[in-house]
Amino acid sequence: MAVALTIRPERPGDEAAITDVTRGAFAFAPHTSHTEHAIVQALRGAGALSVSLVAESGGRIVGHIAFSPVSIADGSPDWHGLGPVSVIPRLQGQGIARALVEQGLVRLRELGAQGCVVLGEPALYGRFGFASDPDLVLPGVPQPYFQSLAFGPARPRGEVSYHEAFSSPA
Protein backbone atom coordinates (compact mmCIF):
# COMPACT_ATOMS: atom_id res chain seq x y z
CA MET A 1 0.00 0.00 0.00
CA ALA A 2 1.51 3.31 -1.07
CA VAL A 3 1.45 6.17 1.38
CA ALA A 4 0.42 9.60 0.07
CA LEU A 5 3.31 11.90 0.97
CA THR A 6 4.28 15.51 0.93
CA ILE A 7 7.98 16.26 1.36
CA ARG A 8 8.66 19.80 2.57
CA PRO A 9 11.27 21.80 4.47
CA GLU A 10 11.10 21.78 8.23
CA ARG A 11 9.36 24.86 9.56
CA PRO A 12 8.88 26.41 13.01
CA GLY A 13 6.52 24.30 15.07
CA ASP A 14 7.75 20.98 13.60
CA GLU A 15 10.39 20.40 16.27
CA ALA A 16 8.34 18.26 18.70
CA ALA A 17 6.96 16.05 15.92
CA ILE A 18 10.47 15.59 14.46
CA THR A 19 11.75 14.58 17.91
CA ASP A 20 8.91 12.07 18.31
CA VAL A 21 9.46 10.58 14.85
CA THR A 22 13.21 10.31 15.40
CA ARG A 23 12.89 8.74 18.84
CA GLY A 24 10.36 6.22 17.53
CA ALA A 25 12.38 5.36 14.45
CA PHE A 26 15.49 4.48 16.46
CA ALA A 27 13.82 2.99 19.56
CA PHE A 28 14.63 -0.60 18.57
CA ALA A 29 17.29 -0.03 15.94
CA PRO A 30 20.60 -1.88 16.25
CA HIS A 31 23.87 0.07 16.20
CA THR A 32 22.46 3.23 17.75
CA SER A 33 23.21 5.33 20.80
CA HIS A 34 19.56 6.49 20.91
CA THR A 35 20.72 10.10 20.75
CA GLU A 36 19.59 10.82 17.18
CA HIS A 37 16.79 13.14 18.32
CA ALA A 38 19.28 15.10 20.46
CA ILE A 39 21.68 15.33 17.51
CA VAL A 40 18.95 16.89 15.36
CA GLN A 41 18.06 19.32 18.17
CA ALA A 42 21.73 20.28 18.65
CA LEU A 43 22.25 20.78 14.90
CA ARG A 44 19.14 22.96 14.76
CA GLY A 45 20.25 24.95 17.80
CA ALA A 46 23.68 25.52 16.25
CA GLY A 47 22.18 26.63 12.93
CA ALA A 48 23.93 23.64 11.34
CA LEU A 49 21.06 22.02 9.45
CA SER A 50 21.97 22.49 5.77
CA VAL A 51 18.76 20.74 4.75
CA SER A 52 16.01 19.52 7.06
CA LEU A 53 12.98 17.94 5.40
CA VAL A 54 9.86 16.30 6.75
CA ALA A 55 7.53 13.79 5.17
CA GLU A 56 3.86 14.38 5.88
CA SER A 57 1.02 11.95 5.41
CA GLY A 58 -2.53 12.86 6.31
CA GLY A 59 -1.32 16.16 7.77
CA ARG A 60 1.01 14.35 10.18
CA ILE A 61 4.82 14.27 10.15
CA VAL A 62 5.85 10.66 9.59
CA GLY A 63 9.49 11.09 8.54
CA HIS A 64 12.46 13.42 8.76
CA ILE A 65 15.91 13.78 7.24
CA ALA A 66 18.79 16.02 8.26
CA PHE A 67 21.89 17.09 6.35
CA SER A 68 24.69 19.07 7.98
CA PRO A 69 28.10 20.38 6.91
CA VAL A 70 31.14 18.15 7.35
CA SER A 71 34.84 19.02 7.36
CA ILE A 72 37.32 17.09 5.25
CA ALA A 73 41.04 17.03 6.06
CA ASP A 74 42.03 18.22 2.57
CA GLY A 75 39.86 21.34 2.96
CA SER A 76 37.30 20.37 0.32
CA PRO A 77 34.43 22.84 0.72
CA ASP A 78 30.67 22.39 0.63
CA TRP A 79 30.42 18.73 1.64
CA HIS A 80 27.56 17.58 3.85
CA GLY A 81 26.62 14.57 5.92
CA LEU A 82 23.30 12.77 5.56
CA GLY A 83 21.67 11.73 8.78
CA PRO A 84 19.82 10.95 10.71
CA VAL A 85 16.92 9.85 8.54
CA SER A 86 13.84 8.72 10.45
CA VAL A 87 10.47 7.18 9.63
CA ILE A 88 7.87 6.13 12.17
CA PRO A 89 8.07 2.37 12.67
CA ARG A 90 4.65 1.41 11.31
CA LEU A 91 5.44 3.09 7.97
CA GLN A 92 9.03 1.91 7.54
CA GLY A 93 9.69 -0.01 4.33
CA GLN A 94 7.12 1.94 2.32
CA GLY A 95 9.45 4.29 0.45
CA ILE A 96 9.32 7.28 2.79
CA ALA A 97 13.03 7.24 3.61
CA ARG A 98 13.83 6.83 -0.08
CA ALA A 99 11.71 9.89 -0.93
CA LEU A 100 13.41 11.91 1.82
CA VAL A 101 16.92 10.93 0.68
CA GLU A 102 16.15 11.64 -2.99
CA GLN A 103 14.61 15.04 -2.27
CA GLY A 104 17.35 15.91 0.21
CA LEU A 105 20.06 15.21 -2.34
CA VAL A 106 18.22 17.40 -4.86
CA ARG A 107 18.10 20.23 -2.31
CA LEU A 108 21.82 19.87 -1.52
CA ARG A 109 22.65 20.15 -5.23
CA GLU A 110 20.44 23.25 -5.48
CA LEU A 111 22.45 24.80 -2.63
CA GLY A 112 25.67 24.26 -4.58
CA ALA A 113 26.98 21.41 -2.43
CA GLN A 114 29.95 19.51 -3.82
CA GLY A 115 28.93 16.19 -2.31
CA CYS A 116 27.55 14.18 0.57
CA VAL A 117 28.77 11.48 2.93
CA VAL A 118 26.78 8.92 4.88
CA LEU A 119 27.44 6.34 7.54
CA GLY A 120 25.14 3.43 6.81
CA GLU A 121 24.34 0.16 5.14
CA PRO A 122 26.20 -0.07 1.80
CA ALA A 123 23.36 -1.84 -0.06
CA LEU A 124 20.82 0.74 1.08
CA TYR A 125 22.79 3.88 0.23
CA GLY A 126 24.36 2.38 -2.88
CA ARG A 127 20.91 2.72 -4.51
CA PHE A 128 21.38 6.49 -4.40
CA GLY A 129 24.89 6.42 -5.86
CA PHE A 130 26.87 6.42 -2.63
CA ALA A 131 30.01 4.28 -2.62
CA SER A 132 32.90 3.59 -0.29
CA ASP A 133 36.10 5.45 -1.15
CA PRO A 134 39.34 4.33 0.53
CA ASP A 135 40.67 7.91 0.26
CA LEU A 136 37.82 9.26 2.40
CA VAL A 137 37.60 7.94 5.95
CA LEU A 138 35.60 8.34 9.12
CA PRO A 139 37.86 7.26 11.99
CA GLY A 140 36.71 4.13 13.79
CA VAL A 141 34.25 3.09 11.09
CA PRO A 142 34.74 0.06 8.82
CA GLN A 143 35.38 1.38 5.30
CA PRO A 144 32.35 -0.21 3.54
CA TYR A 145 29.93 1.59 5.88
CA PHE A 146 31.25 5.09 5.25
CA GLN A 147 30.25 6.20 1.78
CA SER A 148 30.33 9.32 -0.35
CA LEU A 149 28.57 10.80 -3.34
CA ALA A 150 30.32 13.57 -5.28
CA PHE A 151 28.12 15.98 -7.22
CA GLY A 152 30.96 16.94 -9.56
CA PRO A 153 34.43 15.83 -10.64
CA ALA A 154 36.22 16.80 -7.39
CA ARG A 155 37.02 13.87 -5.11
CA PRO A 156 38.03 14.81 -1.56
CA ARG A 157 40.67 12.91 0.42
CA GLY A 158 41.31 12.42 4.11
CA GLU A 159 39.47 12.19 7.38
CA VAL A 160 35.91 13.47 7.61
CA SER A 161 34.60 15.22 10.72
CA TYR A 162 30.93 15.68 11.45
CA HIS A 163 29.54 18.62 13.42
CA GLU A 164 30.26 18.43 17.16
CA ALA A 165 26.55 17.70 17.75
CA PHE A 166 27.25 14.11 16.67
CA SER A 167 29.77 13.53 19.45
CA SER A 168 28.11 15.46 22.25
CA PRO A 169 24.38 15.81 21.58
CA ALA A 170 22.58 18.08 24.02
Side-chain angles (χ1 to χ4, degrees):
M1 178 172 98
V3 176
L5 282 182
T6 300
I7 307 291
R8 64 165 176 81
E10 172 185 339
R11 57 184 178 226
D14 290 341
E15 298 87 353
I18 290 169
T19 295
D20 290 346
V21 165
T22 307
R23 275 191 175 137
F26 287 94
F28 301 103
H31 313 293
T32 177
S33 60
H34 300 287
T35 58
E36 290 81 6
H37 66 285
I39 291 168
V40 173
Q41 291 169 352
L43 289 168
R44 185 184 298 114
L49 285 171
S50 309
V51 174
S52 180
L53 302 176
V54 297
E56 282 185 328
S57 180
R60 184 169 170 242
I61 294 175
V62 297
H64 175 258
I65 193 167
F67 293 85
S68 56
V70 296
S71 298
I72 302 175
D74 72 358
S76 293
D78 299 320
W79 276 74
H80 302 263
L82 183 166
V85 58
S86 310
V87 176
I88 61 172
R90 69 178 177 80
L91 294 178
Q92 290 175 2
Q94 297 189 33
I96 297 170
R98 175 184 275 278
L100 284 164
V101 171
E102 289 172 347
Q103 188 58 46
L105 292 172
V106 166
R107 300 281 174 110
L108 278 180
R109 284 181 172 99
E110 290 172 351
L111 291 173
Q114 298 302 302
C116 186
V117 295
V118 66
L119 172 60
E121 193 60 44
L124 174 68
Y125 290 101
R127 297 183 304 183
F128 302 103
F130 285 91
S132 177
D133 179 348
D135 290 331
L136 200 59
V137 296
L138 184 62
V141 173
Q143 189 64 47
Y145 294 91
F146 186 64
Q147 302 152 77
S148 63
L149 174 62
F151 299 152
R155 299 284 187 256
R157 299 173 61 104
E159 278 190 16
V160 175
S161 301
Y162 281 79
H163 188 275
E164 63 187 15
F166 283 86
S167 57
S168 59

